[in-house]
Amino acid sequence: MPNDTLPWFADRPGDFVLFRVNRRPLGESTLFPATMPPDVFEHFVGMLAPGWEVESGRRNRRRWRVGGIAIDRDERVLTGKLGWIPEGSEMVAEWSDEEMDWVARPGTPHGNVLPFGFDGDTRLLTVLRDGASAPTTIANVIERVLRENERQSHDPTTEWSVEPVLDRRDFLAWLESLDVVRLVSFTAKLPNPEPENAFRDVVARMERRQATKFTETLVSDRDGGLSGVQEDRDFRQAVEMGTRGFATLRGEGSVDGNVTKYSQSEAVAKTRVDALPGSWKEMRTMIVELLKHTLRHLIDPDETA
């Protein structure tokens, strides 16, 4: 195979970032919330429209499209390509309206087309980063595609969100490394479907107060900073919610007098592959394996990696 037809990721190391796709009924806080389609996988497939264009950025604007969609209904996995070009460029260099796909052409750059996959059983979404796209941007683009197509549908029922998954070990290791903890904060949203026992107390508190979102922040200006954060019940349950994509956490502290910060939205859970495949076909196979096996242990430590 000529080198100029190889995908940009061939034989390179790469990081797959991990998100959770959540659905909540429109009018959730009313007496008559909308009834969502029962099958999240088929609903996702229907709303992730190939060719739908969204824009990102302010100074360096980009135009994004999803294409190259392949659906494996036996595995309940969708794989595809998330691509972008700079604002002002014609969407012709690699995008094919006829094929609804990003098509490799000799002599054109391919580093702006990101492989991704979605697992309908766990609602996990993984994307291979290209080094030029922040996880927050990736999540926002896919979320907008879903939301905008939902609004265009005949009977909109659902508020879609694409949430970063917390790497529990990474966050707790960062917290443990601090000399002083100045701030920890979390924002939780009501899970759908039903909550798990690991964070049922926080969800019950939200339900009692009829809250759809709950933010809690602990701050200390004392010399020693916050104490016993990891023993706090709500904080522990927020970590579990973040691990499953129902809460986002952030923190601030210091090491040797230097301020350090943590943001789940930026430090999203990820897994590294040392040598990526040499073709899109092999990449799709790898993504299915990652979603069905390797990545599941990041949201459930009891799963076999």
Side-chain angles (χ1 to χ4, degrees):
M1 180 183 293
N3 287 335
D4 58 7
T5 64
L6 285 173
W8 64 270
F9 50 74
D11 299 321
R12 297 183 181 184
D15 291 325
F16 286 87
V17 288
L18 189 61
F19 308 93
R20 196 88 179 258
V21 177
N22 292 319
R23 300 189 305 165
R24 296 176 178 88
L26 292 175
E28 181 180 24
S29 58
T30 68
L31 292 175
F32 303 102
T35 300
M36 299 186 299
D39 189 330
V40 63
F41 181 67
E42 294 298 337
H43 194 189
F44 182 91
V45 169
M47 294 301 107
L48 196 77
W52 190 271
E53 184 177 301
V54 299
E55 294 183 356
S56 72
R58 294 184 179 178
R59 296 180 59 186
N60 300 313
R61 299 186 67 82
R62 297 176 179 178
R63 296 156 62 200
W64 297 76
R65 290 188 185 185
V66 169
I69 299 297
I71 301 167
D72 185 337
R73 284 190 163 84
D74 291 333
E75 293 284 359
R76 289 173 58 79
V77 170
L78 177 150
T79 56
K81 305 173 185 178
L82 177 64
W84 61 269
I85 63 168
E87 175 68 17
S89 301
E90 290 296 325
M91 188 77 78
V92 295
E94 291 188 79
W95 176 260
S96 167
D97 280 323
E98 180 180 351
E99 299 181 44
M100 282 293 164
D101 193 4
W102 294 91
V103 180
R105 305 186 192 283
T108 61
H110 308 308
N112 55 352
V113 182
L114 316 181
F116 74 92
F118 171 74
D119 181 2
D121 291 331
T122 60
R123 304 192 320 282
L124 289 178
L125 171 76
T126 191
V127 185
L128 175 64
R129 288 196 64 189
D130 62 351
S133 305
T136 50
T137 300
I138 293 169
N140 181 258
V141 166
I142 296 179
E143 182 177 280
R144 287 181 57 192
V145 172
L146 294 168
R147 289 187 172 191
E148 291 176 15
N149 279 279
E150 182 74 37
R151 286 197 295 267
Q152 295 289 325
S153 65
H154 174 69
D155 183 21
T157 63
T158 303
E159 178 189 4
W160 293 89
S161 63
V162 178
E163 308 287 354
V165 169
L166 176 71
D167 186 326
R168 178 198 289 105
R169 292 180 181 177
D170 182 58
F171 177 66
L172 294 178
W174 171 83
L175 196 62
E176 192 69 29
S177 73
L178 299 178
D179 297 328
V180 178
V181 182
R182 289 293 177 203
L183 175 150
V184 291
S185 177
F186 68 84
T187 297
K189 297 179 181 179
L190 281 177
N192 193 310
E194 291 302 309
E196 301 175 33
N197 287 328
F199 46 87
R200 190 171 295 277
D201 293 335
V202 168
V203 173
R205 182 179 176 189
M206 295 174 67
E207 290 175 336
R208 285 196 302 271
R209 305 296 173 240
Q210 298 186 21
T212 56
K213 183 186 292 187
F214 172 35
T215 298
E216 184 165 278
T217 302
L218 298 174
V219 181
S220 176
D221 293 327
R222 296 177 183 274
D223 291 343
L226 294 170
S227 175
V229 171
Q230 295 191 44
E231 284 73 52
D232 183 84
R233 186 192 65 178
D234 285 354
F235 173 78
R236 293 201 309 268
Q237 294 197 14
V239 169
E240 295 300 323
M241 292 185 78
T243 301
R244 290 157 176 80
F246 297 132
T248 52
L249 288 86
R250 62 187 181 91
E252 182 176 321
S254 62
V255 178
D256 296 329
N258 299 312
V259 174
T260 175
K261 298 181 180 181
Y262 191 99
S263 169
Q264 178 179 337
S265 298
E266 298 173 1
V268 60
K270 62 181 178 293
T271 191
R272 166 150 286 226
V273 175
D274 292 330
L276 294 165
S279 71
W280 279 99
K281 181 178 179 181
E282 293 171 306
M283 173 58 75
R284 292 181 192 274
T285 300
M286 170 177 281
I287 288 174
V288 173
E289 288 297 311
L290 287 172
L291 285 169
K292 290 299 183 182
H293 301 288
T294 307
L295 293 171
R296 288 195 177 191
H297 81 280
L298 291 175
I299 63 167
D300 187 350
D302 293 330
E303 287 276 0
T304 301

